[in-house]
């Protein structure tokens, strides 16, 4: 990627995170970089172009993390470590999570991609859950689609923890770790004794 283009994206991400996407203008981004708006417009014609570029930058990082996870899915510790990396990546792009539905209204490209991406993520997690069942880390389902619904809960929590963090201002030395643990603990009731032993080792 062109270096100037990446510098613009990095500064825009900082400003979107700090000030919100609605109140941040192209002019403010250009001023923060000490470049002309014409120079910025050479790389990005509209703020939506920046938003879309940052969204796909996040997706690229998440795809790499999911690929790593599904290649090593037999260990609960791998899931734990991957979940922490994921939540920290989300925090770097927190404006996307905070303003998700506004962004969906303004960008059909992002909205359509996100909807399709959820089907891919669902398949990836089904593969993960199947492997954990095979290795007797997860117990068998107690009702139809139990793990499909677990994925939905994890997805909702994963997409909305930043709003909860910013609203309630959890008093923690590391709030990212706090929400990571909160999310990871969701899987505990589904673990076998083997899985619970691994879980205890991770937490200790």
């Amino acid at each position: 990627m062109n270096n100037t283009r990446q510098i613009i994206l990095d500064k825009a991400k900082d400003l979107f995170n700090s000030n919100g996407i609605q109140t941040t203008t192209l002019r403010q981004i250009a001023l923060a970089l000490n470049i002309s708006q014409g120079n910025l417009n050479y790389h990005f014609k509209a703020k939506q172009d920046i938003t879309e570029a940052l969204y796909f930058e996040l997706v690229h990082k998440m795809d790499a993390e999911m690929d790593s996870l599904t290649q090593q899915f037999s260990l609960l510790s791998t899931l734990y470590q991957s979940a922490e990396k994921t939540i920290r990546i989300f925090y770097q792009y927190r404006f996307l999570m905070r303003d998700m539905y506004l962004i969906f209204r303004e960008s059909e490209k992002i909205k359509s991609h996100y909807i399709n991406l959820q089907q891919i993520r669902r398949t990836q997690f089904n593969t993960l859950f199947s492997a954990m069942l095979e290795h007797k880390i997860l117990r068998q389902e107690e009702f139809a689609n139990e793990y499909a619904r677990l994925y939905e809960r994890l997805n909702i929590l994963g997409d909305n923890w930043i709003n909860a963090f910013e609203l309630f201002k959890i008093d923690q030395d590391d709030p990212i770790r706090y929400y990571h643990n909160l999310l990871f603990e969701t899987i505990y009731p589904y673990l076998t004794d083997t899985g619970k032993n691994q879980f205890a080792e991770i937490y200790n």
Side-chain angles (χ1 to χ4, degrees), residues 16-99:
F16 289 166
N17 283 336
S18 299
N19 306 325
I21 194 169
Q22 283 184 294
T23 58
T24 303
T25 64
L26 290 179
R27 184 172 182 274
Q28 289 172 332
I29 297 169
L31 284 172
L33 289 168
N34 197 28
I35 64 174
S36 69
Q37 189 166 338
N39 188 359
L40 189 151
N41 287 140
Y42 173 79
H43 297 280
F44 298 99
K45 302 298 183 186
K47 185 166 67 174
Q48 183 172 310
D49 297 332
I50 296 178
T51 304
E52 290 174 354
L54 287 170
Y55 167 79
F56 285 105
E57 190 174 88
L58 169 61
V59 169
H60 177 73
K61 291 182 179 182
M62 291 301 302
D63 283 346
E65 193 56 45
M66 286 302 301
D67 286 345
S68 174
L69 173 61
T70 54
Q71 289 169 14
Q72 306 179 63
F73 47 61
S74 62
L75 296 175
L76 194 61
S77 60
T78 303
L79 176 60
Y80 180 83
Q81 293 163 9
S82 180
E84 182 177 6
K85 290 179 186 176
T86 295
I87 211 163
R88 290 188 183 278
I89 292 170
F90 275 151
Y91 190 71
Q92 294 170 14
Y93 295 82
R94 56 193 175 276
F95 79 92
L96 285 167
M97 317 312 296
R98 184 197 303 132
D99 297 323

Side-chain angles (χ1 to χ4, degrees), residues 51-152:
T51 304
E52 290 174 354
L54 287 170
Y55 167 79
F56 285 105
E57 190 174 88
L58 169 61
V59 169
H60 177 73
K61 291 182 179 182
M62 291 301 302
D63 283 346
E65 193 56 45
M66 286 302 301
D67 286 345
S68 174
L69 173 61
T70 54
Q71 289 169 14
Q72 306 179 63
F73 47 61
S74 62
L75 296 175
L76 194 61
S77 60
T78 303
L79 176 60
Y80 180 83
Q81 293 163 9
S82 180
E84 182 177 6
K85 290 179 186 176
T86 295
I87 211 163
R88 290 188 183 278
I89 292 170
F90 275 151
Y91 190 71
Q92 294 170 14
Y93 295 82
R94 56 193 175 276
F95 79 92
L96 285 167
M97 317 312 296
R98 184 197 303 132
D99 297 323
M100 179 182 293
Y101 299 102
L102 168 67
I103 293 168
F104 286 165
R105 287 196 297 271
E106 294 184 348
S107 175
E108 184 61 34
K109 182 177 181 180
I110 291 178
K111 180 181 177 181
S112 297
H113 184 274
Y114 177 84
I115 291 171
N116 291 331
L117 181 63
Q118 293 314 299
Q119 296 304 314
I120 296 171
R121 294 286 185 256
R122 186 185 302 275
T123 299
Q124 289 171 324
F125 269 87
N126 284 341
T127 301
L128 172 66
F129 292 154
S130 294
M132 293 175 76
L133 283 163
E134 181 181 345
H135 288 80
K136 303 189 185 307
I137 294 171
L138 289 181
R139 61 169 172 76
Q140 294 298 315
E141 287 189 333
E142 295 182 358
F143 59 85
N145 299 317
E146 186 176 13
Y147 287 121
R149 295 173 72 83
L150 172 60
Y151 166 75
E152 289 187 27

